[in-house]
Amino acid sequence: MRAVDIIAKKRDGLELSTAEIEFFVRGYAEGHIPDYQAAAWCMAVLLRGMSARETTDLTLAMARSGKVLDLRAVAEWVLDKHSTGGVGDKTTLVVAPLVASAGVPVGKMSGRGLGFSGGTIDKLESIPGYRVALSHAQFIRQLREHGIVVAAQSADLAPADGKFYALRDVTATVESIPLIASSIMSKKIAAGATGIVLDVKVGRGAFMKTLEMARELAQLMIAIGQAAGRRVAAVLADMNQPLGQAVGNALEVHEAIRVLRGEGPADVRDHCLTVGALMLALAGHVANLEAGRALLARQLESGAAWHTFVTWITAQGGAATVLEHPERLPQAALIEPLPAPRAGYLAAIDAQVIGQASVVLGAGREKKDDPIDHAVGIVLHKKIGDAVERGEALLTLYANHADRLAAARELLRDAWQWSDSPPSPPPHLYEIIPAELAT
Amino acid sequence: MRAVDIIAKKRDGLELSTAEIEFFVRGYAEGHIPDYQAAAWCMAVLLRGMSARETTDLTLAMARSGKVLDLRAVAEWVLDKHSTGGVGDKTTLVVAPLVASAGVPVGKMSGRGLGFSGGTIDKLESIPGYRVALSHAQFIRQLREHGIVVAAQSADLAPADGKFYALRDVTATVESIPLIASSIMSKKIAAGATGIVLDVKVGRGAFMKTLEMARELAQLMIAIGQAAGRRVAAVLADMNQPLGQAVGNALEVHEAIRVLRGEGPADVRDHCLTVGALMLALAGHVANLEAGRALLARQLESGAAWHTFVTWITAQGGAATVLEHPERLPQAALIEPLPAPRAGYLAAIDAQVIGQASVVLGAGREKKDDPIDHAVGIVLHKKIGDAVERGEALLTLYANHADRLAAARELLRDAWQWSDSPPSPPPHLYEIIPAELAT
């Protein structure tokens, strides 16, 4: 078998065999196949597509390129959730303790943010002392002892995906549904959870710009998960505007704390109840989504979710006093409002621009190894459908550098669309797949 | 400007600007843009295509990546011809002295063979003493003194093309009309000829399998040449069966010698008269193609073409005695016929299989740096349309290793199609572009 023949076959739009895909993935992971052949192959896959069977084979080959954790020794059901990436998406911070407090273990490995989209690990690192780097033994021990663990993706899980992902980033081959699906699912399968909820974001602030693309991605990932013996469901959720109000690491942790204490934005709370209920439904822990939402709402109100949150964070080394006193999280030096340039109703907020502005402030990365500033970011005061007076604060900017503040302010100028009559805000939730879990 | 954005633009099917193409080609030639980005870009170009304007820009950027010879100081017209590659194609060996003998200088740089397709430089090296490596000063001096020179492509002409070509070979991105056209024309433009005839081969033994593809390639290369201030025309010629009888380096030199002496296969003579006449017509040296063919036929009959051939080869160091006594060219130790397995008319000969069999014998290369054996090859005794008796020799195999002989014999088993009634042989010549030069 030769790599060049496999590239040519995909270039010509033909279906690759399981053996060909395994040969290519193993060859690339082990370094026999060079970057330039993998790059040509990724471009051919992006432009010619892959069948569900090929994508499943690719996923399994990448998952098996490294260690595959077996968490069934810990519990029959270990739950995980994955967001395809959004702006202000602090769902994991709320959902993980919420679900774990209801008695089903949550074991999750997560990534760092890149570009306009944030990453859970960066957010958790804004809590002083929190350890993101756990060995597999530490990961399993904490899961067993506390029923909840969230650590950084370790490099020995799906190493082939790590190589492909870095290559795709610099060869314009990110935006391929089969490559996105296999990248996500190879890591999820290797991380060992038996039930996985995919939080697929749709809209201007997401990789998936349309509902059709999001649905295709979700269905593909569900099929892959099932082929690997996992139960998988998906939530298609809006990302035309940011989720909640806070965008930026410590600011999002603060908002998550408010939600876990029964406060915070209604959209975040609602989204977390849906994602969490779906996780419990996957595990057969509740009869349906409504029962799951009701159970989790009680977990919030009783303080049980908050208790689990504190247990989790402190077990991973995070400072408990910061959780009780979130004003002790990293604080920005410059805090300034962005006044509305006109009166009217907000018809659209470009979540991608909001995300880019937070990167400019220092909350995210342009390149993989850029440092980030946990304190900075944006807090929105107005969302789509809100009435705004001229000069009223649309948002507050949190910055540590005046020049970055000015650059973000400039970028944010075009983030808004206005209407003179009240527009109807977009739904938070579009769809649950499979549909039978939605009832 | 960023390479990844240029890749993404082509991936999305958009037209690249002149500045973007220059940035990419220069960056790759100078090593700022790595192989993996160039590989993804080549695949995007192959699958998304390029406009004639983009292809011209690519060609000029590659031509200007190294030295561009200016031959106008030697003569107003210096002619070149280029074959897109075939089996048994010894046209240059005949046409170069034929045209030069008529008084218009011929200055050509040529390549080595790769795969089933032979290369002029390998053929010339079967003449003991012939020097293929000339400096630019030596190239121009011989052109000035003798009006004819054929040397190996020097590495400092179009070095960007050299890098792209090597990369395309291992990334399944060879078969792209814009990439093929720009690769050929960048080298032709850098080598400095003012008039260029393209000998575009069509059929099973050529890269272009259909007349439509060959026409597209020819028209594109003519447009590129004109944009670079050169006069360019094309001959679309058949390569379903090999040209002439001989396939293999010394065997082809021998056949060329026979044609230059007024003997040899009629199809080779006819093809060379057409290509040569078109070269003279480009330079305005003859009024039309017919006048050119008539002039060149007289050059063959008078011995003038032969005289120029001997002058050329000996000026580049080749042994004159070998030209007069071609039996002193490298000789194979094993010479065996391939008998016909049945009686009938030959309906098809797979030129690609004939070419592959000659590679198996050692006449060509599988990989770029494989050594070759100048003595070995194949001489066809039957062509399409010929009547054959069972057991009659279809061809003669020339080999130096019994195992290679056996392997070639095995490969040749499926090279033939038979008919019980006389089929009409394919035309040698399909088309001349531009059409007004054909009259």
Side-chain angles (χ1 to χ4, degrees), chain A residues 7 11 36-37 39 170 172 175, chain B residues 11 36-37 39 43 170 172 175:
Chain A
I7 302 168
R11 174 199 72 197
Y36 52 81
Q37 289 189 315
V170 292
E175 293 90 342
Chain B
R11 174 199 72 198
Y36 52 80
Q37 289 188 316
M43 185 59 81
V170 292
E175 293 91 341

Side-chain angles (χ1 to χ4, degrees), chain A residues 185-417:
Chain A
M185 291 305 294
S186 66
K187 287 178 285 201
K188 293 287 114 184
I189 290 166
T194 47
I196 303 156
V197 168
L198 302 164
D199 187 0
V200 180
K201 306 297 193 187
V202 192
R204 298 202 61 163
F207 288 113
M208 301 292 113
K209 303 297 179 196
T210 68
L211 194 54
E212 290 64 36
M213 285 176 69
R215 197 179 284 134
E216 186 186 341
L217 177 65
Q219 285 165 340
L220 186 56
M221 290 195 291
I222 290 169
I224 293 168
Q226 283 168 343
R230 315 299 167 95
R231 284 196 81 180
V232 184
V235 175
L236 307 195
D238 184 68
M239 190 45 68
N240 280 298
Q241 59 183 343
L243 181 66
Q245 297 180 271
V247 179
N249 300 287
L251 295 167
E252 293 189 43
V253 169
H254 196 164
E255 186 169 286
I257 287 172
R258 290 173 60 223
V259 174
L260 284 161
R261 282 177 158 168
E263 306 155 26
D267 63 339
V268 179
R269 174 189 162 96
D270 186 63
H271 183 66
C272 292
L273 289 178
T274 299
V275 170
L278 198 54
M279 291 167 77
L280 293 177
L282 268 192
H285 193 75
V286 293
N288 55 46
L289 200 68
E290 269 320 296
R293 285 177 58 94
L295 169 59
L296 293 176
R298 288 195 299 276
Q299 297 298 108
L300 282 177
E301 278 140 38
S302 70
W306 172 255
H307 179 77
T308 302
F309 176 72
V310 174
T311 303
W312 157 40
I313 298 293
T314 52
Q316 281 188 243
T321 52
V322 168
L323 307 184
E324 298 294 343
H325 303 281
E327 66 279 6
R328 297 187 194 170
L329 284 162
Q331 297 291 319
L334 306 169
I335 302 174
E336 289 188 12
L338 182 80
R342 53 164 283 179
Y345 294 96
L346 269 183
I349 303 177
D350 190 327
Q352 185 162 336
V353 172
I354 303 285
Q356 284 163 341
S358 79
V359 172
V360 165
L361 290 169
R365 297 178 185 82
E366 296 280 4
K367 293 195 301 291
K368 193 164 167 269
D369 296 316
D370 287 349
I372 65 169
D373 183 341
H374 291 103
V376 302
I378 287 165
V379 174
L380 296 165
H381 304 305
K382 301 291 177 182
K383 302 280 295 262
I384 297 174
D386 287 352
V388 184
E389 295 299 319
R390 185 165 191 275
E392 200 180 356
L394 287 168
L395 54 77
T396 299
L397 292 147
Y398 293 77
N400 276 324
H401 296 278
D403 52 344
R404 290 182 165 225
L405 181 67
R409 205 183 271 282
E410 182 63 30
L411 199 61
L412 288 165
R413 196 179 289 215
D414 299 324
W416 322 93
Q417 285 177 34

Side-chain angles (χ1 to χ4, degrees), chain B residues 220-233:
Chain B
L220 186 55
M221 291 195 291
I222 290 169
I224 293 167
Q226 283 168 343
R230 315 299 166 98
R231 283 196 81 181
V232 184

